[in-house]
Amino acid sequence: MNLKSGRIEGFEVYSQFKSVKEFNTHIEMWLAVKKHEFSKGELVGFKRLVRFSAKVPGVCNAKIGTMLKAINEEYHGNGISRSTFKRMIIKTKDLGILTIYETERKNGSQSSNLYSFNRFPQSEPPKAKKLDQPKETNNLFKTNIQKNNKRNENRIELDHTFVSDKVPQNFVQTVKYFFSDAKTIEEYWHLAQIAAFRFEYDQNSDDILSIAIQSFKQLIRKLKSTKSVLKPIAFFYGIVTNKLKELILNQLTKVSESKPIRYVLKTGDVMSYDWLHTES
């Protein structure tokens, strides 16, 4: 049984985010590790879908035609094709970023799909969910998509000497022996910055650098000892997050251990002293 179409406010239950700020933070994290999967045109469509998912954070039920019209107006008639947008939707779903539900009108005819963004995982990407009610679409866009993006197969990789100067050299020198590609090094550093931003710790550059290097070394030790790490960069983000929690806990205990302490994240989450103690 499909969902009944309606106003976007009626789909708040499908939102996984407490605020638009939290939603945007998770989108940044998804793009940090998955941006290279999309073509330039697909990224344009992805960002427009994100913008249409702001009223109810992470949820959108706008028609594809409506979003394409908005893109076309923004780019003064140089928008993207419908097939490009559909290709983006399929990729986003396959990567675990998006869950898609079919909706229908009162008369039973098919209406626009409901798009629900997933949270970025703490360690590993989310696995596909099998839902009985409502039913997730399994026949989205019955089109025969030919092999594309062949240009990615011959993409030239730049080594560590081309890494942006925004990335500390100490971090570059640590990572380059295991991942020499400039883009990969930048993505690892970007995730460390995102984690620091969540904990309002992004101004402490020395601590962030130290934690990022320690976390990467811990990741390498894990990779050397086991084959259970499916997505190293996502695992790295989880390590950085835990180390930041430990650091904040140590700082809070120096201030006071005699009364409850609440620490509010930029994402809107609230951490108490007890929560930090049990989760770290």
Side-chain angles (χ1 to χ4, degrees):
M1 180 176 177
N2 295 336
L3 298 174
K4 297 296 183 181
S5 61
R7 295 176 62 84
I8 186 63
E9 291 84 356
F11 296 112
E12 289 183 351
V13 66
Y14 292 95
S15 174
Q16 300 183 30
F17 309 96
K18 298 177 181 177
S19 65
V20 174
K21 181 180 290 187
E22 182 185 26
F23 169 52
N24 289 335
T25 299
H26 280 260
I27 290 299
E28 287 182 12
M29 290 187 284
W30 276 118
L31 287 176
V33 298
K34 298 297 184 182
K35 185 177 181 179
H36 65 279
E37 302 279 355
F38 300 94
S39 68
K40 185 177 180 180
E42 290 166 355
L43 280 175
V44 170
F46 179 85
K47 292 177 180 179
R48 177 57 60 173
L49 178 60
V50 169
R51 291 171 65 178
F52 267 77
S53 304
K55 192 167 187 178
V56 174
V59 179
C60 171
N61 68 339
K63 297 178 181 178
I64 292 179
T66 301
M67 290 185 275
L68 289 176
K69 180 180 179 181
I71 294 172
N72 196 55
E73 291 176 352
E74 180 180 358
Y75 289 89
H76 307 290
N78 297 309
I80 62 175
S81 66
R82 192 178 188 87
S83 60
T84 297
F85 194 92
K86 288 183 176 180
R87 205 160 49 239
M88 176 276 295
I89 290 293
I90 293 174
K91 283 186 180 180
T92 308
K93 177 179 179 290
D94 291 343
L95 292 170
I97 301 173
L98 201 65
T99 299
I100 304 169
Y101 304 101
E102 293 180 343
T103 68
E104 61 182 26
R105 300 180 181 88
K106 292 182 179 180
N107 62 8
S109 61
Q110 187 174 359
S111 183
S112 56
N113 289 318
L114 178 71
Y115 307 103
S116 174
F117 281 92
N118 298 317
R119 298 174 67 86
F120 185 84
Q122 292 295 319
S123 56
E124 300 293 342
K127 296 180 180 179
K129 298 179 180 179
K130 293 184 179 180
L131 304 177
D132 294 327
Q133 171 69 19
K135 180 182 178 182
E136 181 181 347
T137 179
N138 58 6
N139 60 347
L140 177 67
F141 309 129
K142 297 178 180 178
T143 56
N144 181 22
I145 300 178
Q146 303 297 324
K147 293 182 180 180
N148 51 51
N149 294 334
K150 292 183 179 180
R151 59 184 179 279
N152 290 333
E153 298 177 1
N154 300 319
R155 184 178 61 180
I156 299 176
E157 292 188 353
L158 303 177
D159 65 19
H160 70 277
T161 59
F162 290 88
V163 172
S164 168
D165 56 9
K166 294 181 180 179
V167 182
Q169 273 301 306
N170 286 347
F171 186 76
V172 175
Q173 295 304 313
T174 300
V175 179
K176 72 175 185 179
Y177 295 106
F178 304 93
F179 302 105
S180 60
D181 177 40
K183 184 177 180 64
T184 301
I185 297 174
E186 290 172 355
E187 288 176 347
Y188 271 95
W189 177 248
H190 185 50
L191 274 187
Q193 289 181 306
I194 290 175
F197 176 83
R198 287 188 61 218
F199 289 93
E200 293 189 334
Y201 214 80
D202 44 310
Q203 300 301 318
N204 301 275
S205 56
D206 290 341
D207 286 343
I208 297 172
L209 174 59
S210 177
I211 287 176
I213 292 176
Q214 292 174 27
S215 299
F216 186 79
K217 289 180 178 179
Q218 186 173 329
L219 166 66
I220 296 303
R221 288 196 296 270
K222 185 72 174 179
L223 291 174
K224 294 292 185 180
S225 61
T226 181
K227 295 182 180 180
S228 62
V229 180
L230 301 179
K231 293 289 183 180
I233 195 166
F235 195 85
F236 167 79
Y237 177 79
I239 298 173
V240 172
T241 298
N242 287 332
K243 287 188 178 297
L244 280 169
K245 289 178 185 177
E246 293 175 2
L247 178 61
I248 293 172
L249 172 61
N250 291 334
Q251 292 179 346
L252 290 178
T253 54
K254 291 179 181 178
V255 175
S256 173
E257 293 187 8
S258 61
K259 59 181 180 180
I261 298 175
R262 288 162 59 86
Y263 188 87
V264 183
L265 306 184
K266 286 187 176 181
T267 59
D269 298 328
V270 177
M271 297 192 305
S272 66
Y273 172 87
D274 292 335
W275 182 87
L276 279 168
H277 184 73
T278 56
E279 293 289 328
S280 59

